[in-house]
Short mmCIF file of all heavy atoms in Angstrom, two decimals:
data_model
loop_
_atom_site.label_atom_id
_atom_site.label_comp_id
_atom_site.label_asym_id
_atom_site.label_seq_id
_atom_site.Cartn_x
_atom_site.Cartn_y
_atom_site.Cartn_z
N ASN Q 97 -3.41 -13.99 12.61
CA ASN Q 97 -4.29 -12.98 12.02
C ASN Q 97 -4.49 -11.77 12.92
O ASN Q 97 -5.57 -11.20 12.98
CB ASN Q 97 -5.66 -13.57 11.65
CG ASN Q 97 -5.53 -14.63 10.57
OD1 ASN Q 97 -4.46 -14.77 9.97
ND2 ASN Q 97 -6.59 -15.36 10.32
N LEU Q 98 -3.42 -11.38 13.62
CA LEU Q 98 -3.47 -10.10 14.34
C LEU Q 98 -3.42 -8.99 13.30
O LEU Q 98 -2.98 -9.20 12.17
CB LEU Q 98 -2.29 -10.00 15.30
CG LEU Q 98 -2.31 -11.00 16.46
CD1 LEU Q 98 -1.04 -10.87 17.28
CD2 LEU Q 98 -3.52 -10.78 17.34
N PHE Q 99 -3.87 -7.79 13.72
CA PHE Q 99 -3.84 -6.65 12.79
C PHE Q 99 -2.54 -5.91 12.96
O PHE Q 99 -2.31 -5.26 13.98
CB PHE Q 99 -5.03 -5.74 13.06
CG PHE Q 99 -6.35 -6.48 13.06
CD1 PHE Q 99 -7.28 -6.28 14.05
CD2 PHE Q 99 -6.64 -7.39 12.04
CE1 PHE Q 99 -8.49 -6.97 14.05
CE2 PHE Q 99 -7.83 -8.09 12.03
CZ PHE Q 99 -8.76 -7.88 13.05
N PRO Q 100 -1.64 -5.96 11.97
CA PRO Q 100 -0.29 -5.45 12.16
C PRO Q 100 -0.22 -3.93 12.29
O PRO Q 100 0.77 -3.41 12.78
CB PRO Q 100 0.46 -5.91 10.89
CG PRO Q 100 -0.60 -6.17 9.89
CD PRO Q 100 -1.83 -6.61 10.66
N HIS Q 101 -1.28 -3.22 11.87
CA HIS Q 101 -1.21 -1.76 11.95
C HIS Q 101 -1.71 -1.24 13.30
O HIS Q 101 -1.72 -0.04 13.52
CB HIS Q 101 -2.03 -1.13 10.82
CG HIS Q 101 -3.50 -1.45 10.89
ND1 HIS Q 101 -3.97 -2.75 10.86
CD2 HIS Q 101 -4.59 -0.66 10.99
CE1 HIS Q 101 -5.30 -2.73 10.93
NE2 HIS Q 101 -5.69 -1.48 11.01
N LEU Q 102 -2.13 -2.15 14.18
CA LEU Q 102 -2.61 -1.74 15.49
C LEU Q 102 -1.71 -2.32 16.57
O LEU Q 102 -1.13 -3.40 16.39
CB LEU Q 102 -4.05 -2.23 15.71
CG LEU Q 102 -5.09 -1.76 14.70
CD1 LEU Q 102 -6.43 -2.41 15.00
CD2 LEU Q 102 -5.21 -0.25 14.71
N GLU Q 106 -4.63 -2.16 21.03
CA GLU Q 106 -5.68 -1.77 20.07
C GLU Q 106 -6.29 -2.99 19.39
O GLU Q 106 -7.49 -3.01 19.09
CB GLU Q 106 -5.09 -0.83 19.01
CG GLU Q 106 -4.78 0.56 19.56
CD GLU Q 106 -3.87 1.37 18.64
OE1 GLU Q 106 -3.26 0.79 17.72
OE2 GLU Q 106 -3.77 2.58 18.86
N ASN Q 107 -5.46 -4.03 19.15
CA ASN Q 107 -6.00 -5.27 18.62
C ASN Q 107 -7.09 -5.82 19.54
O ASN Q 107 -8.11 -6.32 19.09
CB ASN Q 107 -4.87 -6.31 18.49
CG ASN Q 107 -4.30 -6.38 17.10
OD1 ASN Q 107 -4.85 -7.02 16.23
ND2 ASN Q 107 -3.18 -5.69 16.89
N LEU Q 110 -10.40 -3.29 19.80
CA LEU Q 110 -11.11 -2.93 18.57
C LEU Q 110 -12.55 -3.45 18.56
O LEU Q 110 -13.51 -2.68 18.42
CB LEU Q 110 -10.35 -3.49 17.35
CG LEU Q 110 -10.90 -3.08 15.99
CD1 LEU Q 110 -10.53 -1.62 15.71
CD2 LEU Q 110 -10.33 -3.97 14.88
N ALA Q 111 -12.70 -4.77 18.75
CA ALA Q 111 -14.05 -5.34 18.69
C ALA Q 111 -14.93 -4.94 19.87
O ALA Q 111 -16.09 -4.58 19.67
CB ALA Q 111 -13.97 -6.86 18.54
N TRP Q 114 -16.05 -1.34 18.98
CA TRP Q 114 -16.86 -1.12 17.78
C TRP Q 114 -18.02 -2.08 17.66
O TRP Q 114 -19.00 -1.79 16.97
CB TRP Q 114 -15.99 -1.19 16.52
CG TRP Q 114 -15.08 -0.01 16.44
CD1 TRP Q 114 -13.78 0.06 16.89
CD2 TRP Q 114 -15.38 1.28 15.95
NE1 TRP Q 114 -13.30 1.31 16.70
CE2 TRP Q 114 -14.24 2.08 16.12
CE3 TRP Q 114 -16.53 1.84 15.38
CZ2 TRP Q 114 -14.21 3.42 15.73
CZ3 TRP Q 114 -16.50 3.18 14.99
CH2 TRP Q 114 -15.34 3.95 15.16
N ARG Q 159 -7.28 -11.36 22.52
CA ARG Q 159 -8.15 -10.55 21.67
C ARG Q 159 -9.53 -11.21 21.53
O ARG Q 159 -10.56 -10.54 21.63
CB ARG Q 159 -7.52 -10.39 20.28
CG ARG Q 159 -8.38 -9.59 19.32
CD ARG Q 159 -7.70 -9.38 17.99
NE ARG Q 159 -7.73 -10.58 17.16
CZ ARG Q 159 -7.32 -10.60 15.90
NH1 ARG Q 159 -6.81 -9.51 15.36
NH2 ARG Q 159 -7.37 -11.72 15.19
N GLY G 261 -3.64 -2.53 -3.60
CA GLY G 261 -3.39 -2.62 -2.16
C GLY G 261 -4.25 -3.69 -1.51
O GLY G 261 -3.78 -4.46 -0.66
N LEU G 262 -5.51 -3.76 -1.93
CA LEU G 262 -6.41 -4.76 -1.34
C LEU G 262 -5.92 -6.17 -1.64
O LEU G 262 -6.04 -7.08 -0.82
CB LEU G 262 -7.83 -4.57 -1.87
CG LEU G 262 -8.55 -3.31 -1.41
CD1 LEU G 262 -9.85 -3.12 -2.17
CD2 LEU G 262 -8.84 -3.39 0.08
N LEU G 265 -3.30 -7.79 0.65
CA LEU G 265 -3.65 -8.22 2.01
C LEU G 265 -4.00 -9.69 2.05
O LEU G 265 -4.72 -10.20 1.21
CB LEU G 265 -4.86 -7.41 2.50
CG LEU G 265 -4.55 -6.12 3.23
CD1 LEU G 265 -5.79 -5.63 3.94
CD2 LEU G 265 -3.44 -6.28 4.21
N ASN G 266 -3.49 -10.31 3.10
CA ASN G 266 -3.74 -11.70 3.36
C ASN G 266 -5.22 -11.94 3.69
O ASN G 266 -5.85 -11.13 4.35
CB ASN G 266 -2.87 -11.99 4.58
CG ASN G 266 -2.78 -13.42 4.89
OD1 ASN G 266 -3.80 -14.13 4.84
ND2 ASN G 266 -1.61 -13.88 5.22
N ARG G 267 -5.75 -13.07 3.25
CA ARG G 267 -7.13 -13.43 3.56
C ARG G 267 -7.38 -13.49 5.07
O ARG G 267 -8.48 -13.24 5.56
CB ARG G 267 -7.43 -14.80 2.93
CG ARG G 267 -8.87 -14.97 2.65
CD ARG G 267 -9.30 -16.25 2.05
NE ARG G 267 -10.57 -16.63 2.67
CZ ARG G 267 -11.66 -15.90 2.60
NH1 ARG G 267 -11.67 -14.79 1.93
NH2 ARG G 267 -12.77 -16.29 3.21
N GLY G 268 -6.33 -13.84 5.79
CA GLY G 268 -6.44 -13.97 7.25
C GLY G 268 -6.88 -12.67 7.92
O GLY G 268 -7.51 -12.71 8.97
N GLN G 269 -6.54 -11.53 7.33
CA GLN G 269 -6.94 -10.26 7.94
C GLN G 269 -8.46 -10.12 7.88
O GLN G 269 -9.08 -9.63 8.82
CB GLN G 269 -6.28 -9.09 7.22
CG GLN G 269 -4.78 -9.01 7.45
CD GLN G 269 -4.45 -8.70 8.89
OE1 GLN G 269 -5.00 -7.78 9.48
NE2 GLN G 269 -3.57 -9.51 9.47
N TYR G 270 -9.06 -10.54 6.77
CA TYR G 270 -10.51 -10.50 6.66
C TYR G 270 -11.13 -11.46 7.68
O TYR G 270 -12.09 -11.14 8.37
CB TYR G 270 -10.98 -10.91 5.26
CG TYR G 270 -10.62 -9.95 4.16
CD1 TYR G 270 -9.39 -10.00 3.53
CD2 TYR G 270 -11.52 -8.98 3.74
CE1 TYR G 270 -9.06 -9.12 2.52
CE2 TYR G 270 -11.21 -8.10 2.73
CZ TYR G 270 -9.98 -8.17 2.11
OH TYR G 270 -9.67 -7.30 1.12
N GLU G 271 -10.55 -12.68 7.75
CA GLU G 271 -11.13 -13.69 8.62
C GLU G 271 -10.99 -13.29 10.08
O GLU G 271 -11.92 -13.48 10.86
CB GLU G 271 -10.46 -15.04 8.35
CG GLU G 271 -10.81 -15.58 6.99
CD GLU G 271 -10.22 -16.95 6.73
OE1 GLU G 271 -9.35 -17.37 7.52
OE2 GLU G 271 -10.63 -17.58 5.75
N GLY G 272 -9.83 -12.70 10.43
CA GLY G 272 -9.65 -12.25 11.80
C GLY G 272 -10.69 -11.22 12.17
O GLY G 272 -11.28 -11.26 13.26
N ALA G 273 -10.95 -10.28 11.24
CA ALA G 273 -11.94 -9.23 11.52
C ALA G 273 -13.34 -9.81 11.60
O ALA G 273 -14.11 -9.46 12.49
CB ALA G 273 -11.86 -8.16 10.43
N MET G 274 -13.67 -10.71 10.67
CA MET G 274 -15.01 -11.29 10.66
C MET G 274 -15.26 -12.11 11.92
O MET G 274 -16.32 -12.05 12.53
CB MET G 274 -15.21 -12.18 9.43
CG MET G 274 -15.42 -11.39 8.17
SD MET G 274 -15.97 -12.44 6.81
CE MET G 274 -14.45 -13.18 6.26
N LEU G 276 -14.20 -11.66 14.76
CA LEU G 276 -14.44 -10.80 15.93
C LEU G 276 -15.84 -10.19 15.90
O LEU G 276 -16.22 -9.47 16.82
CB LEU G 276 -13.41 -9.69 15.98
CG LEU G 276 -12.02 -10.10 16.47
CD1 LEU G 276 -11.03 -8.97 16.26
CD2 LEU G 276 -12.07 -10.47 17.94
N LEU G 278 -16.90 -8.04 13.51
CA LEU G 278 -16.95 -6.75 12.81
C LEU G 278 -17.77 -6.92 11.54
O LEU G 278 -17.53 -7.86 10.77
CB LEU G 278 -15.55 -6.27 12.45
CG LEU G 278 -14.63 -5.89 13.62
CD1 LEU G 278 -13.20 -5.72 13.14
CD2 LEU G 278 -15.10 -4.63 14.30
N ASN G 279 -18.71 -6.02 11.28
CA ASN G 279 -19.46 -6.12 10.04
C ASN G 279 -18.65 -5.53 8.88
O ASN G 279 -17.56 -4.98 9.09
CB ASN G 279 -20.84 -5.46 10.16
CG ASN G 279 -20.72 -3.99 10.52
OD1 ASN G 279 -19.67 -3.39 10.29
ND2 ASN G 279 -21.78 -3.43 11.06
N TYR G 280 -19.17 -5.64 7.65
CA TYR G 280 -18.37 -5.28 6.49
C TYR G 280 -17.84 -3.84 6.53
O TYR G 280 -16.64 -3.62 6.35
CB TYR G 280 -19.20 -5.54 5.20
CG TYR G 280 -18.46 -5.21 3.94
CD1 TYR G 280 -17.58 -6.14 3.37
CD2 TYR G 280 -18.62 -3.98 3.31
CE1 TYR G 280 -16.89 -5.85 2.21
CE2 TYR G 280 -17.93 -3.69 2.15
CZ TYR G 280 -17.08 -4.62 1.60
OH TYR G 280 -16.39 -4.31 0.45
N PRO G 281 -18.71 -2.83 6.77
CA PRO G 281 -18.16 -1.46 6.77
C PRO G 281 -17.08 -1.26 7.82
O PRO G 281 -16.06 -0.63 7.54
CB PRO G 281 -19.39 -0.59 7.10
CG PRO G 281 -20.57 -1.44 6.84
CD PRO G 281 -20.16 -2.85 6.99
N ARG G 282 -17.27 -1.83 9.02
CA ARG G 282 -16.26 -1.64 10.06
C ARG G 282 -14.99 -2.40 9.74
O ARG G 282 -13.88 -1.92 9.97
CB ARG G 282 -16.79 -2.10 11.41
CG ARG G 282 -17.84 -1.17 11.95
CD ARG G 282 -18.21 -1.53 13.38
NE ARG G 282 -19.43 -0.82 13.72
CZ ARG G 282 -20.49 -1.40 14.23
NH1 ARG G 282 -20.49 -2.70 14.47
NH2 ARG G 282 -21.56 -0.71 14.51
N MET G 283 -15.14 -3.61 9.19
CA MET G 283 -13.97 -4.38 8.82
C MET G 283 -13.14 -3.61 7.81
O MET G 283 -11.92 -3.49 7.92
CB MET G 283 -14.42 -5.73 8.23
CG MET G 283 -13.29 -6.52 7.61
SD MET G 283 -13.84 -8.17 7.13
CE MET G 283 -14.69 -7.83 5.60
N MET G 284 -13.82 -3.03 6.82
CA MET G 284 -13.11 -2.28 5.79
C MET G 284 -12.47 -1.03 6.38
O MET G 284 -11.30 -0.74 6.14
CB MET G 284 -14.08 -1.89 4.67
CG MET G 284 -14.41 -3.03 3.75
SD MET G 284 -12.88 -3.62 2.98
CE MET G 284 -13.38 -5.21 2.44
N ALA G 285 -13.23 -0.28 7.15
CA ALA G 285 -12.75 1.02 7.62
C ALA G 285 -11.66 0.88 8.68
O ALA G 285 -10.75 1.70 8.74
CB ALA G 285 -13.92 1.83 8.19
N LEU G 286 -11.74 -0.17 9.51
CA LEU G 286 -10.82 -0.25 10.65
C LEU G 286 -9.64 -1.19 10.40
O LEU G 286 -8.58 -1.01 10.98
CB LEU G 286 -11.58 -0.74 11.89
CG LEU G 286 -12.73 0.15 12.36
CD1 LEU G 286 -13.54 -0.55 13.41
CD2 LEU G 286 -12.18 1.46 12.89
N VAL G 287 -9.85 -2.20 9.57
CA VAL G 287 -8.81 -3.22 9.44
C VAL G 287 -8.22 -3.26 8.03
O VAL G 287 -7.01 -3.17 7.86
CB VAL G 287 -9.38 -4.62 9.80
CG1 VAL G 287 -8.32 -5.69 9.56
CG2 VAL G 287 -9.85 -4.65 11.24
N ILE G 288 -9.07 -3.34 7.03
CA ILE G 288 -8.57 -3.61 5.68
C ILE G 288 -8.01 -2.35 5.02
O ILE G 288 -6.84 -2.31 4.61
CB ILE G 288 -9.68 -4.22 4.81
CG1 ILE G 288 -10.24 -5.50 5.48
CG2 ILE G 288 -9.17 -4.52 3.41
CD1 ILE G 288 -9.21 -6.57 5.73
N LEU G 289 -8.82 -1.29 4.91
CA LEU G 289 -8.36 -0.11 4.18
C LEU G 289 -7.14 0.57 4.80
O LEU G 289 -6.24 0.98 4.07
CB LEU G 289 -9.51 0.89 3.99
CG LEU G 289 -10.52 0.46 2.94
CD1 LEU G 289 -11.72 1.40 2.93
CD2 LEU G 289 -9.89 0.41 1.56
N PRO G 290 -7.07 0.71 6.14
CA PRO G 290 -5.86 1.34 6.68
C PRO G 290 -4.59 0.64 6.21
O PRO G 290 -3.58 1.29 5.91
CB PRO G 290 -6.04 1.23 8.19
CG PRO G 290 -7.49 1.09 8.40
CD PRO G 290 -8.04 0.38 7.20
N GLN G 291 -4.65 -0.69 6.14
CA GLN G 291 -3.45 -1.42 5.70
C GLN G 291 -3.26 -1.33 4.20
O GLN G 291 -2.16 -1.11 3.71
CB GLN G 291 -3.57 -2.89 6.11
CG GLN G 291 -3.61 -3.11 7.59
CD GLN G 291 -3.58 -4.58 7.91
OE1 GLN G 291 -2.60 -5.27 7.66
NE2 GLN G 291 -4.66 -5.09 8.47
N ALA G 292 -4.35 -1.51 3.46
CA ALA G 292 -4.24 -1.52 2.00
C ALA G 292 -3.76 -0.15 1.48
O ALA G 292 -2.89 -0.08 0.62
CB ALA G 292 -5.59 -1.87 1.37
N LEU G 293 -4.30 0.91 2.05
CA LEU G 293 -3.94 2.24 1.56
C LEU G 293 -2.49 2.58 1.91
O LEU G 293 -1.80 3.18 1.10
CB LEU G 293 -4.89 3.31 2.13
CG LEU G 293 -6.33 3.22 1.63
CD1 LEU G 293 -7.19 4.30 2.25
CD2 LEU G 293 -6.39 3.33 0.11
N THR G 294 -2.05 2.21 3.10
CA THR G 294 -0.65 2.52 3.44
C THR G 294 0.30 1.79 2.50
O THR G 294 1.36 2.33 2.17
CB THR G 294 -0.28 2.06 4.86
OG1 THR G 294 -1.39 1.45 5.45
CG2 THR G 294 0.19 3.16 5.70
N MET G 295 -0.07 0.59 2.10
CA MET G 295 0.85 -0.15 1.24
C MET G 295 0.99 0.48 -0.14
O MET G 295 1.98 0.26 -0.81
CB MET G 295 0.39 -1.61 1.12
CG MET G 295 0.77 -2.42 2.34
SD MET G 295 0.58 -4.17 2.05
CE MET G 295 -1.12 -4.38 2.42
N ARG G 374 5.40 0.32 12.91
CA ARG G 374 5.03 -1.10 12.93
C ARG G 374 6.14 -1.95 12.35
O ARG G 374 5.91 -2.76 11.48
CB ARG G 374 3.73 -1.29 12.18
CG ARG G 374 3.81 -0.94 10.72
CD ARG G 374 2.46 -0.99 10.14
NE ARG G 374 1.66 0.11 10.63
CZ ARG G 374 0.77 0.73 9.89
NH1 ARG G 374 0.57 0.34 8.67
NH2 ARG G 374 0.09 1.74 10.35
#
Side-chain angles (χ1 to χ4, degrees):
Chain Q
N97 296 350
L98 294 175
F99 307 133
H101 63 301
L102 301 176
E106 289 165 346
N107 263 279
L110 186 74
W114 290 94
R159 178 177 77 173
Chain G
L262 290 171
L265 270 194
N266 190 317
R267 206 181 141 60
Q269 291 294 311
Y270 292 86
E271 292 183 348
M274 284 192 280
L276 284 171
L278 293 169
N279 59 22
Y280 181 84
R282 288 188 194 128
M283 171 172 79
M284 283 300 161
L286 299 169
V287 176
I288 304 301
L289 285 173
Q291 296 186 65
L293 293 180
T294 1
M295 281 193 275
R374 63 188 71 145

